[in-house]
Amino acid sequence: MGHGVPELVLELSGRTWTLDPSRSYTLGRDPQGDLVIDDARVSWRHASISWGGRSWVIEDHGSTNGTYVQGQRIHQMEIGPGSAVHLGNATDGPRLNLSGAAAGAYSAQGAAPSQQAVKQQSPAHQAPVQQQGAPGWAAAQQAPAQQQAWQQQPPQPQVPHQQGPGGAGGAGGVAGAPPVYGDRSPTTFHQLDLGRVMRIGRALENELVVSDLQVSRNHAEFVATPDGRFEIRDLGSHNGTYVNGQPIAKSGTAIIGPNDIVGVGHSTFRLVGDRLEEFVDTGEVSFSARHLTVTVEGGKQILRDVSFGVPEKSLIGVIGPSGSGKSTLLKALTGYRPANQGDVLYDNRSLYKQFAELRQRIGLVPQDDILHKELTVRKALKYAAKLRFPGDTAEAEREARIDEVLRELKLDIHKEKKVTSLSGGQRKRVSVALELLTKPSLIFLDEPTSGLDPGMDRDVMQLLRGLADDGRTVLVVTHSVAELALCDKLLVMAPGGSVAYFGPPEEALNFFGYSTWADVFSAFENYRDYDWAGRWRGSQHYQMYAADIDAVAAQSVHMPPAQQMRPPKPQSWGSQLWTLIRRYSSVIASDKGFLGLMVILPAVLGLVSVVIPAKFGLAPPTPPNKFNGDAGTIMLILAVGMCFSGAANSVRELIKERVIYERERATGLARSAYLMSKVIVLGVITAIQGVIICGIGFATRDLPDEGLILPPAVEICLVVIALGFTSMMFGLVISSLVKTAEKTMPLLVMFAIVQVVFTGILFQVYGSPGLEQFAWLMPSRWAIAGAGATLDLSHLMPPWDPNKPGDLDPLWEHSAGQWGLNITILLAIGVLCGVAVARLLRRHEPEVMRK
């Protein structure tokens, strides 16, 4: 020990360490730490002890359950021989006893020696609860002495954080301000000089280099103005520069003060005097839900006052019976569907208010796979990386990150396999890999083991355990209870959407008083009206694991007007469109069955029209015959065939990708780019089908000698292609309306039949009030009208009323103007369908993106 440094010996659970003042010691559950404490209430990296120059100092690193001295929660405090520190709980958490040569004579400031040991009582040793009868046992059959003990242990009030060497308010803090980095010390410091520009970006020529693929090469710059103020200027970054969680305008500026937080990728900056503090988010973040309540139409609450805190770098399991609000909770925690009341805090920052920035730190793996199963693993990740990383990211950088993730998840041996050929557990790994591309600190998974056998169930849960151990916080909603022991904490939801338990999984069954989870779920079902939440709040477990959830105040930041809160896109609109077109084309090209069907279907429909005998084809008859009644029938078959073919191309395309779209939309995908990629690719396919139908249908038919503007075959083919395009847009409308893919086929058949009726070929449509106006909404009506204008069907077909030979369908007028009007209205209906699809897609987006 150095001269003047009091000897310090730390004792914990019968083990002792003599501390060296030349280094710092980390305490927590991390096996790589200096003092490993295997207790669920202790965070992964809970605290550290170091020599501060004049005394020994213990510093809490934003732990979930806190560090306590004499019953008071502390952030940073001087300690010495004679001090006693509790981790995770003020009374029975793991106790550190400090001693030394001067023990008893030394008393650290603010930490008088505590000689009286506190008797520990583990919840695992509570009196067993009877399993028979109504759940009134919760309060009625507890041991009286234990009830009295609970009543005598109210939650300890949290005291203000001690002022440490870093200045008022703790490290990186400002007097009177909430914690900045979740009570953590800044990663680095940067000096700002007046008149100097400090540029931030991924490129090495920047003064402040941030090695983060979420950051553009030249992202932003800090400027110290001559009048002593500081501003942040965005340099046209792809993922945006954020002040207090809100994006500033691309290439815009914002004045920053000591209470403002600037976000660039995974880095957060705070101005303290003329110094810039940087904190890099590597996963050491706190996350908590506070009083979340979700109310639906009719005033019914499906989530009721849910509060819990998630330890950093841990695995949290969420279980509960059907109807307990697990999926609703997941949407509330991720910001997809914010709760009506309450808040979600990411390192003391409101996720709802600062979603634009914090969404990049959160990964979500829905129950359904969020990737195209027709692609290989590498190609699926390649397109995802192209969409999520900035536009200036080099191909080599993306490939390196993809290879890194594949190796981490042991998928490198499967990278050239199609996703559809992988097992269920491997497919789930690929979905996780897609989310890991952007290095999220929080990962949420919804039923990742659904449909898997017990072996794969264990593999997936072990994968999630590994992700947490590697430095991420993982929250998994699951129905499987076989591998809950791998979790650090367990959240049990009761019917009605309230919390029935939150704490270590090994103590949960004992808490409920049952031996199996089947019995617990049966109790939930049999006693649905019982106050499970009240029982939980009256328990010792609540005092230990949830009572201090409101102890730290959320940061209060200035919120800009709503119109400034639209999150930026990582890629330009054109770049997104090109990537989506290439991906969609790859998906279609890899599905040989779908490709074959798209060629065979129009060919068959074209052949059907050839079967119809027609002596004169589509041309006017020669005397003495006056009419060609078969011409209308041939066009009816061709038009209805094109309607069916066009709609069939698209009727499943949105519903089958709905989960993928929801996730990608939350990460910055442009709705219009997504829709336009579908329109372009399917439009090209539909146009080819139209040429096939017309080529086969017209091959054996006589056509008029001249057209109105172009050759007759070209004019009719253009009309058929326009009909296919509009029908394809109607298919997209159907696909965006339905909730399941099974409902698309009945609607497709109904659409085709309705088109047959209102073509104007089977019976007279014009001149019928109401019926004629309704027929204007049908694409087939305008398509037949366009073909009728070219063929002069008004005079080619027999009149509906022989006594009125001059009573002609006005839409079949044999003129270039009428032909142009017909095809224009036909395409306009398709455009209106596109607008409707864009509006309907909003229903499947996070609420913050619905703008």
Side-chain angles (χ1 to χ4, degrees):
M1 304 292 279
H3 178 69
V5 178
E7 182 181 14
L8 191 66
V9 178
L10 187 148
E11 186 272 331
L12 170 67
S13 301
R15 295 174 296 167
T16 60
W17 293 264
T18 301
L19 304 188
D20 182 353
S22 65
R23 54 163 298 190
S24 175
Y25 294 82
T26 60
L27 294 75
R29 294 194 340 271
D30 186 356
Q32 305 301 319
D34 298 304
L35 281 74
V36 181
I37 304 171
D38 188 14
D39 189 295
R41 294 167 292 178
V42 177
S43 296
W44 191 253
R45 290 186 176 90
H46 193 104
S48 65
I49 297 178
S50 60
W51 174 251
R54 63 171 185 169
S55 64
W56 290 92
V57 176
I58 185 169
E59 180 180 359
D60 184 281
H61 290 290
S63 65
T64 300
N65 293 318
T67 302
Y68 300 86
V69 174
Q70 290 190 326
Q72 293 184 329
R73 186 168 183 170
I74 58 98
H75 164 61
Q76 191 176 57
M77 177 176 282
E78 297 178 354
I79 56 175
S83 300
V85 179
H86 283 89
L87 305 180
N89 187 271
T91 56
D92 63 353
R95 173 172 168 155
L96 309 177
N97 293 308
L98 307 176
S99 61
Y106 180 93
S107 176
Q109 177 183 355
S114 174
Q115 304 295 336
Q116 182 179 1
V118 180
K119 184 178 180 180
Q120 298 187 20
Q121 180 179 352
S122 171
H125 299 133
Q126 295 173 10
V129 182
Q130 295 184 12
Q131 298 183 17
Q132 294 83 11
W137 41 230
Q141 297 190 15
Q142 294 287 353
Q146 186 174 338
Q147 286 190 4
Q148 184 178 1
W150 290 5
Q151 295 169 2
Q152 292 175 356
Q153 295 179 4
Q156 297 289 343
Q158 184 184 11
V159 296
H161 293 153
Q162 304 293 326
Q163 178 174 331
V174 177
V180 182
Y181 309 118
D183 294 348
R184 296 169 185 82
S185 299
T187 307
T188 54
F189 302 92
H190 309 278
Q191 191 67 35
L192 283 174
D193 300 326
L194 291 178
R196 181 188 172 201
V197 175
M198 179 179 289
R199 180 167 292 187
I200 306 172
R202 212 172 66 247
L204 296 178
E205 62 265 19
N206 293 284
E207 288 80 9
L208 205 164
V209 179
V210 180
S211 57
D212 180 357
L213 288 183
Q214 294 288 86
V215 178
S216 299
R217 293 186 61 81
N218 296 294
H219 195 104
E221 59 186 16
F222 285 99
V223 180
T225 60
D227 59 1
R229 297 192 303 170
F230 296 89
E231 68 178 19
I232 179 71
R233 177 181 298 128
D234 184 84
L235 299 178
S237 64
H238 295 270
N239 278 323
T241 304
Y242 301 83
V243 176
N244 298 328
Q246 306 306 321
I248 63 176
K250 185 164 286 193
S251 301
T253 62
I255 300 296
I256 58 174
N259 291 321
D260 293 323
I261 300 172
V262 178
V264 174
H266 286 80
S267 295
T268 304
F269 300 91
R270 177 80 175 255
L271 189 65
V272 179
D274 60 351
R275 189 171 67 169
L276 197 64
E277 296 182 345
E278 178 186 7
F279 173 72
V280 180
D281 184 351
T282 58
E284 294 181 341
V285 295
S286 61
F287 186 78
S288 61
R290 298 192 176 181
H291 309 292
L292 299 182
T293 299
V294 174
T295 306
V296 295
E297 294 181 4
K300 180 181 178 181
Q301 289 186 343
I302 55 178
L303 209 62
R304 299 183 181 181
D305 195 21
V306 174
S307 297
F308 63 94
V310 175
E312 74 277 7
K313 298 187 177 182
S314 59
L315 175 60
I316 310 299
V318 180
I319 64 172
S322 299
S324 59
K326 299 188 300 295
S327 297
T328 303
L329 175 63
L330 193 65
K331 292 180 180 179
L333 293 176
T334 55
Y336 268 47
R337 201 288 189 189
N340 303 103
Q341 301 175 31
D343 205 354
V344 175
L345 300 186
Y346 180 103
D347 241 15
N348 302 326
R349 301 172 64 185
S350 171
L351 175 65
Y352 295 161
K353 293 180 180 179
Q354 304 184 41
F355 181 80
E357 176 189 353
L358 297 180
R359 65 174 182 163
Q360 302 178 33
R361 320 267 187 97
I362 295 176
L364 173 63
V365 181
Q367 183 173 349
D368 297 322
D369 294 326
I370 51 175
L371 35 82
H372 294 86
K373 299 178 182 178
E374 300 84 0
L375 301 178
T376 64
V377 171
R378 172 176 283 281
K379 188 170 287 189
L381 295 180
K382 173 185 173 182
Y383 286 122
K386 182 73 174 174
L387 288 172
R388 297 192 182 193
F389 288 145
D392 60 3
T393 306
E395 183 77 18
E397 292 178 297
R398 289 195 300 268
E399 292 291 338
R401 179 56 187 157
I402 291 172
D403 290 337
E404 182 182 351
V405 171
L406 289 174
R407 286 194 300 271
E408 180 180 359
L409 297 183
K410 298 179 175 59
L411 286 170
D412 44 342
I413 60 175
H414 304 294
K415 60 185 178 182
E416 300 303 331
K417 295 180 181 178
K418 284 189 176 183
V419 176
T420 187
S421 68
L422 301 178
S423 66
Q426 291 169 343
R427 284 202 302 270
K428 194 58 63 176
R429 283 177 179 264
V430 179
S431 293
V432 173
L434 190 151
E435 291 300 314
L436 290 185
L437 288 174
T438 54
K439 297 185 178 180
S441 298
L442 290 169
I443 302 178
F444 295 88
L445 300 99
D446 187 9
E447 300 286 356
T449 61
S450 177
L452 302 183
D453 61 49
M456 288 185 178
D457 180 358
R458 180 179 57 192
D459 290 343
V460 171
M461 291 300 292
Q462 288 177 340
L463 164 68
L464 303 184
R465 177 71 265 171
L467 293 178
D469 293 340
D470 288 341
R472 306 172 185 90
T473 297
V474 183
L475 187 146
V476 53
V477 174
T478 179
H479 274 110
S480 174
V481 297
E483 305 296 333
L484 293 180
L486 292 172
C487 299
D488 296 292
K489 292 285 176 63
L490 180 65
L491 175 68
V492 182
M493 301 294 293
S498 58
V499 177
Y501 173 83
F502 179 71
E506 62 270 15
E507 300 176 13
L509 286 174
N510 184 62
F511 172 83
F512 288 107
Y514 290 104
S515 57
T516 68
W517 283 109
D519 293 332
V520 175
F521 279 37
S522 294
F524 283 149
E525 180 64 28
N526 296 332
Y527 311 110
R528 299 185 69 89
D529 296 331
Y530 178 71
D531 186 11
W532 297 100
R535 176 178 185 265
W536 156 242
R537 289 194 175 90
S539 69
Q540 186 182 29
H541 284 74
Y542 178 80
Q543 304 298 330
M544 295 172 61
Y545 305 117
D548 62 348
I549 192 65
D550 295 319
V552 179
Q555 284 181 349
S556 177
V557 297
H558 169 70
M559 296 298 295
Q563 62 268 22
Q564 298 181 18
M565 296 172 59
R566 188 181 183 90
K569 301 176 180 63
Q571 299 278 335
S572 66
W573 188 90
S575 178
Q576 284 192 359
L577 176 62
W578 177 237
T579 300
L580 291 168
I581 288 176
R582 289 171 57 200
R583 183 177 71 178
Y584 192 30
S585 300
S586 298
V587 170
I588 292 177
S590 63
D591 190 346
K592 301 300 189 294
F594 184 60
L595 273 178
L597 183 62
M598 285 190 296
V599 174
I600 294 173
L601 179 62
V604 171
L605 294 173
L607 288 172
V608 168
S609 69
V610 174
V611 174
I612 300 174
K615 183 178 180 180
F616 305 108
L618 295 171
T622 55
N625 298 303
K626 185 178 180 182
F627 301 111
N628 181 3
D630 295 328
T633 304
I634 296 171
M635 283 310 307
L636 172 66
I637 297 300
L638 291 175
V640 173
M642 195 67 242
C643 277
F644 186 84
S645 183
N649 289 339
S650 61
V651 76
R652 290 177 178 265
E653 294 308 292
L654 296 183
I655 181 64
K656 76 178 184 181
E657 291 186 0
R658 182 161 296 171
V659 176
I660 299 175
Y661 173 73
E662 288 178 2
R663 182 65 193 124
E664 292 185 342
R665 179 69 175 133
T667 60
L669 179 69
R671 181 193 311 135
S672 56
Y674 175 78
L675 178 57
M676 189 58 66
S677 70
K678 297 292 184 188
V679 171
I680 292 174
V681 175
L682 292 175
V684 170
I685 292 173
T686 303
I688 295 174
Q689 290 178 325
V691 172
I692 294 174
I693 285 181
C694 291
I696 296 176
F698 298 160
T700 60
R701 307 296 186 187
D702 293 330
L703 293 171
D705 296 331
E706 295 183 359
L708 298 170
I709 302 174
L710 301 168
V714 175
E715 286 185 1
I716 299 176
C717 188
L718 287 176
V719 170
V720 170
I721 291 174
L723 173 61
F725 170 80
T726 302
S727 299
M728 180 262 294
M729 297 305 295
F730 262 97
L732 290 177
V733 172
I734 294 173
S735 192
S736 61
L737 276 173
V738 297
K739 293 184 178 180
T740 61
E742 289 74 17
K743 295 180 180 178
T744 58
M745 296 313 296
L747 293 175
L748 173 63
V749 173
M750 182 182 70
F751 170 76
I753 291 176
V754 170
Q755 299 310 305
V756 174
V757 174
F758 291 98
T759 55
I761 294 290
L762 298 179
F763 61 92
Q764 180 178 337
V765 173
Y766 68 93
S768 303
L771 184 64
E772 180 180 12
Q773 287 71 32
F774 182 76
W776 290 345
L777 302 175
M778 301 296 113
S780 61
R781 170 66 169 146
W782 297 100
I784 290 295
T790 296
L791 298 172
D792 195 13
L793 279 181
S794 291
H795 296 95
L796 192 61
M797 290 178 61
W800 296 110
D801 187 349
N803 298 321
K804 299 179 180 179
D807 187 12
L808 307 176
D809 192 327
L811 301 186
W812 293 1
E813 179 185 339
H814 187 59
S815 68
Q818 187 62 49
W819 182 87
L821 178 64
N822 292 337
I823 198 170
T824 299
I825 294 178
L826 179 58
L827 292 173
I829 294 175
V831 172
L832 290 176
C833 288
V835 174
V837 173
R839 300 292 295 177
L840 290 169
L841 282 175
R842 294 175 69 252
R843 302 183 307 160
H844 311 296
E845 301 173 358
E847 289 189 4
V848 73
M849 305 296 292
R850 298 180 187 178
K851 300 176 183 177

